[in-house]
Structure formats: C-alpha cells, structure tokens
Amino acid sequence: MSAQKRIKTEDIASPKGMRDITGELYFDYQGFFEKAQEVASYYGFQPIELPIIERELIFTTTIEEGTDIVDKEMYTLRPPKSRDKLALRPEGTAGAVRAYIERGMQSMPQPVMLYYYGPFFRHDKPQKGRYREFRQFGLEIIGAEQAITDALIIKVNMLMLEEAGANNIAVKINSIGNNECRVNYIKELTAYYRKNIEKIGKLDKQRLKTNPLRILDSKDPNTMEVNEGAPDSISFLSTDCKKHFKKVLEYLEEMKIPYQIDKALVRGLSYYTDTVFEIFEDITDEDGKVETVVYGGGGRYDYLAKTLGFKKDLPAVGSALGVDRIVEAKWYKHLKPRIIKKPKFYFIQLGIEAKMKSMSVIEILRKAKVGVKQSLSKDKLSVQLGIAEKLKVPYTLIFGQKEALDGKIIVRSMDTRSQKSIEIENLSEYIKTLK
Ligand code: AMP
C-alpha cells in the first residue's frame, strides 16, 4: 500500500485556528485592506511590507517575559542545520521599529509614518473572534513625541472602522507613564500584590518577580478580583506625563471621539509607555448579556527602539486593528476591492469556431473595464443561459458559429429580451452606449 493511501482527510486539515479564506469573505478582507490603505495614505502614512518571520529576539527583548505572547503564544522556528532562532510574527510594532533601525530611517524626515497589514500568529486558544492566524492593519508614527500623534493614531483607527460601517464604537484609554513615573508606581503595586499574595493565581505570583505590571492584565478570576482594588498608574504620573495625557484627551474631545478613562487598561504587550488605548463596542445579545468586542488597540512605546539597540531615545506611537473581527462584525459594509467589477455581461459561446475566438472577445471587455462572466468549459446554450439568469446580469453576449465566421456578436438585454447583432470591432464602442 502506498503512503498516500494511508492519509485520512482529517490528517490534512488546516491547522487549528487557521483557515482558508475564499469567495465573498476573501473580498471582504481585501475591501477593508483597500479602504484602510486609502484612509492611511490621506493621513500621511507610507506602506511597508514586513517579513512574516523575524528573529525571535526581536519579540523576546521588546514584548518580554511575563506576557502571554512571549510566555506561551509564540510560534518559534528552528530551521534544520541552522543556528537561527526565528519566530512567526505575533505583532507588527517590533518588526516595524527593527525596519526603521535597519533601513536607517532616522535620516528621513521625521516622524516616519508607516502602515502595514497581513497575517500574524499567536498560539492562543481558538474561539469566536480569536484565531491562531489572524490579520491586522497596523499604523506606526516613529520619531515624534507630541500628543497630537497619539490622537492622530486614534482618529485614523476610528475613521477606518467607521468607513467599514461601525457606528457604536468608543475608546478606552489610560496612561501607564514612563520609567520615571513607574518607579514609584511599581513599588506601590508590588507592595499591594505582596499583601494579597495568597489570593492571586500561580502564574501571577511568578509575574510579581518578573513583570508586576502584567498582573493587571491577568485573566485569572482570583487575580481579577484582587486587581479591582489595585493602585492605578494615573495617580503616579509625573507632571510631564500628566500634561501629555491631558493633551491627548483634549484632542479626542475636540474631535468628538467618545472615550472612557480605564485605569485598569495596561494591554498585553509590555513595551508600552504613557498612552495605551483600545477601540471597543459593547454588544448586547437577545438575553440582555453584554459582550465587549475589542477591534483594535495601541499605545506609545518610547523605549522600544533602545531595547533593540538604537543609540538614542526614539519616541513613537502605534496601533493595530483586528481585521477578522471587523469583517465578522454585524455592521460590516462588505467593502469591495476596486478590482471587483459587478458583471454587466455574461458571455455565451456556441460551437468550436466561437470557442476558439472567445478569449479575444473577453479581452475587448477587459480593456473596456466592463465586468464579464463566462463558462468557457460549457457548450450548451440552455446551460449557459441558465447561469446568466442566476447571475442576474443585465446583458448576455451570444457568440455562435455564424457570428464567429462573420466577425459579429449578439448583444441581448436580459430585461427586454431584445437583441442586436454588432460587428466585433465596434463592440467596445457599442457597450459604452448601454446603461
Ligand atoms: P494586539 O496586537 O494584541 O494589540 O491586538 C490588536 C487587535 O488585534 C485586537 O484588538 C484584536 O481585535 C486583534 N487580535 C488580537 N489577537 C487576535 C487573535 N488571536 N485573533 C483575532 N484577532 C486578534
């Protein structure tokens, strides 16, 4: 028995939490990516395509131990016969800053504003709205510290969501300060958790040693209870950090962006400083249960570049939208990419002469940028007409043996059933006259 025969269908299924994206869903994604790129470029962002695989240390040095991403969700790779330690990217910011440093972008006009999109990977528990391969649309403003850049990132994310159909979204925002504010805050926070050490989860006990700020992001129900009484970072902000945060809020107010200050918001990545935010929607189901869906988030990361070896401070702010959650949202407008043309014609060919010349007719329509569908593999008129009816196209093009020999084609209105024979060389002009 050959090895091939032993393989069962379940053995070749796509990996858990990863899927094929086809048909209308494919265009839903592409439509969003296109719209998001349009918004991003109006606001001054430039595209960058980052590798899907980076060196593992790009993530381990910036996102750090004590976070779910580094502790348990990263897909690490050890290519055979190589000492490389690589990882599938779990997020885009660290790679974008790596690119900034590697490409010498500090010599470009500052700040450098980048956008990127594509797949990201986290070995998380798959569930509704949570995949192991998911798609994000990311924005980064690297090389600026002004509060307006934080506000710009939030505004552009809101616009992208609204353009996609969202109408009930708001921002949760917090400031976790910089290193200076954090010294005292972490001291206070550590003392608080020490006092409650018996009540917090096992993993969080470990985090108390490595990264106490992460405990605030814990999903452990016992820790979450303790977190309710934890000291908040805003009370420990220095005058400068407070000023920055206040300015960001003022911009949001000016732009009428609804926001809530969420003192418990720290986010799942450890490189953040000062501003952190999420864009969310509270959705009430039929039983009155409220579910919060987070479509994206981000924040400032003023120390990240130095962690990756950059020689000076490089203030920056960025965000990522979870595109899977957007295209699955009830409000999603099913944005269509520009390449998709609603078919205006269905092309029918009958007989070998016509089939031989079919593609030259389709080419006339493509050049005229008119949407056309066909089933070149089919022969019968009834079958092809049936498909045309189903597609609800306004016109059919009928190309039979006689037409093919005479250099003509029949244009038939599916609505009035009237038809006209046209010289093929005039087809391009004629179709412009049809509505
Ligand atoms: P983060 O990179 O963790 O800041 O996430 C930004 C956004 O990406 C989140 O708000 C989600 O909308 C989306 N996201 C994060 N992880 C996943 C996942 N595993 N599956 C689907 N979407 C995700």
Side-chain angles (χ1 to χ4, degrees):
M1 198 167 66
S2 75
Q4 239 177 352
K5 282 195 180 138
R6 282 199 293 271
I7 294 179
K8 297 193 211 96
T9 341
E10 54 264 37
D11 293 338
I12 60 150
S14 62
K16 202 171 155 195
M18 305 191 185
R19 354 161 252 164
D20 306 308
I21 292 169
T22 62
E24 288 304 306
L25 185 60
Y26 181 88
F27 297 123
D28 279 349
Y29 276 96
Q30 296 306 316
F32 179 78
F33 289 141
E34 205 171 88
K35 177 57 78 182
Q37 287 186 82
E38 183 190 297
V39 178
S41 50
Y42 268 107
Y43 279 85
F45 292 86
Q46 306 288 331
I48 186 166
E49 189 166 318
L50 298 161
I52 287 172
I53 297 174
E54 293 273 0
R55 287 176 207 272
E56 186 183 3
L57 66 81
I58 298 291
F59 306 113
T60 47
T61 54
T62 57
I63 306 172
E64 295 182 347
E65 271 177 64
T67 59
D68 284 350
I69 292 185
V70 162
D71 290 353
K72 51 185 190 187
E73 292 173 3
M74 204 144 68
Y75 283 92
T76 49
L77 300 167
R78 300 284 180 271
K81 300 203 177 102
S82 149
R83 271 194 243 167
D84 284 349
K85 292 182 170 181
L86 307 173
L88 292 183
R89 59 184 189 184
E91 61 98 52
T93 301
V97 176
R98 192 266 312 134
Y100 177 101
I101 300 171
E102 192 177 338
R103 310 262 142 245
M105 292 189 202
Q106 71 269 24
S107 60
M108 291 163 60
Q110 302 293 300
V112 173
M113 295 168 70
L114 302 171
Y115 77 79
Y116 52 85
Y117 61 93
F120 293 84
F121 302 85
R122 292 180 198 170
H123 195 264
D124 202 348
K125 212 169 123 206
Q127 50 189 286
K128 192 173 160 270
R130 195 166 285 285
Y131 302 100
R132 287 181 175 172
E133 181 184 22
F134 55 100
R135 285 136 205 94
Q136 288 190 333
F137 193 99
L139 297 173
E140 315 289 348
I141 303 181
I142 308 174
E145 59 183 7
Q146 291 81 357
I148 195 164
T149 55
D150 308 39
L152 173 62
I153 289 272
I154 296 174
K155 174 68 179 172
V156 174
N157 277 295
M158 290 295 280
L159 281 175
M160 287 172 177
L161 286 161
E162 282 159 4
E163 286 280 326
N167 51 18
N168 196 25
I169 47 172
V171 176
K172 277 188 187 157
I173 190 164
N174 190 18
S175 174
I176 54 175
N178 61 17
N179 279 352
E180 190 195 322
C181 330
R182 255 187 245 167
V183 178
N184 287 333
Y185 177 49
I186 291 183
K187 237 189 241 162
E188 189 83 8
L189 198 62
T190 310
Y192 174 77
Y193 286 126
R194 286 231 176 88
K195 230 167 42 202
N196 291 285
I197 192 92
E198 295 311 320
K199 295 187 207 147
I200 62 174
K202 198 171 145 211
L203 184 65
D204 295 315
K205 284 191 183 112
Q206 263 167 15
R207 283 177 172 154
L208 189 53
K209 289 181 210 133
T210 54
N211 204 339
L213 210 55
R214 308 311 324 148
I215 307 177
L216 289 168
D217 194 45
S218 175
K219 305 286 174 295
D220 184 302
N222 296 323
T223 308
M224 282 165 86
E225 218 169 282
V226 174
N227 278 345
E228 278 173 30
D232 64 70
S233 52
I234 293 182
S235 319
F236 291 82
L237 293 182
S238 66
T239 319
D240 282 349
C241 290
K242 227 183 255 166
K243 230 164 123 186
H244 180 92
F245 190 46
K246 202 166 152 255
K247 266 200 200 143
V248 176
L249 300 182
E250 277 167 12
Y251 282 116
L252 297 187
E253 275 158 36
E254 174 60 32
M255 294 187 287
K256 303 207 164 34
I257 295 177
Y259 72 86
Q260 303 167 4
I261 294 175
D262 180 347
K263 292 180 176 175
L265 186 69
V266 284
R267 313 222 355 98
L269 302 148
S270 57
Y271 49 62
Y272 287 123
T273 47
D274 289 300
T275 319
V276 285
F277 71 91
E278 282 184 349
I279 304 183
F280 74 101
E281 179 181 14
D282 279 337
I283 300 173
T284 314
D285 69 10
E286 289 135 24
D287 307 326
K289 226 175 86 197
V290 180
E291 185 203 2
T292 303
V293 179
V294 179
Y295 296 111
R300 198 153 258 295
Y301 49 89
D302 293 350
Y303 304 129
L304 201 160
K306 256 194 178 164
T307 331
L308 288 180
F310 196 61
K311 52 201 177 302
K312 53 177 197 207
D313 275 335
L314 186 64
V317 58
S319 65
L321 283 176
V323 183
D324 308 86
R325 294 188 192 170
I326 297 169
V327 301
E328 283 165 18
K330 277 215 176 81
W331 44 252
Y332 185 54
K333 268 191 192 161
H334 301 284
L335 297 166
K336 290 282 169 272
R338 256 179 290 241
I339 50 152
I340 299 306
K341 292 251 176 287
K342 217 170 150 215
K344 191 167 181 183
F345 292 98
Y346 185 79
F347 173 77
I348 294 175
Q349 35 69 40
L350 302 160
I352 186 71
E353 285 295 327
K355 214 183 263 281
M356 293 284 277
K357 293 181 181 156
S358 309
M359 285 178 236
S360 57
V361 179
I362 293 168
E363 190 54 14
I364 293 172
L365 295 161
R366 186 186 72 83
K367 287 219 171 101
K369 295 193 164 53
V370 177
V372 58
K373 289 254 174 194
Q374 39 72 19
S375 336
L376 295 181
S377 63
K378 303 276 190 275
D379 299 323
K380 281 197 182 139
L381 176 65
S382 58
V383 172
Q384 296 182 68
L385 265 177
I387 300 171
E389 295 280 358
K390 251 196 228 138
L391 288 173
K392 296 197 170 69
V393 287
Y395 300 97
T396 47
L397 292 171
I398 303 170
F399 196 42
Q401 189 81 351
K402 185 171 178 314
E403 285 75 26
L405 291 171
D406 295 349
K408 292 187 169 170
I409 193 158
I410 296 168
V411 182
R412 179 182 167 93
S413 159
M414 296 298 273
D415 186 21
T416 62
R417 311 271 156 188
S418 63
Q419 56 186 52
K420 200 167 174 185
S421 182
I422 303 290
E423 300 276 341
I424 289 187
E425 60 188 45
N426 297 333
L427 180 63
S428 175
E429 279 306 305
Y430 180 70
I431 55 181
K432 282 189 201 148
T433 66
L434 301 172
K435 56 168 176 45

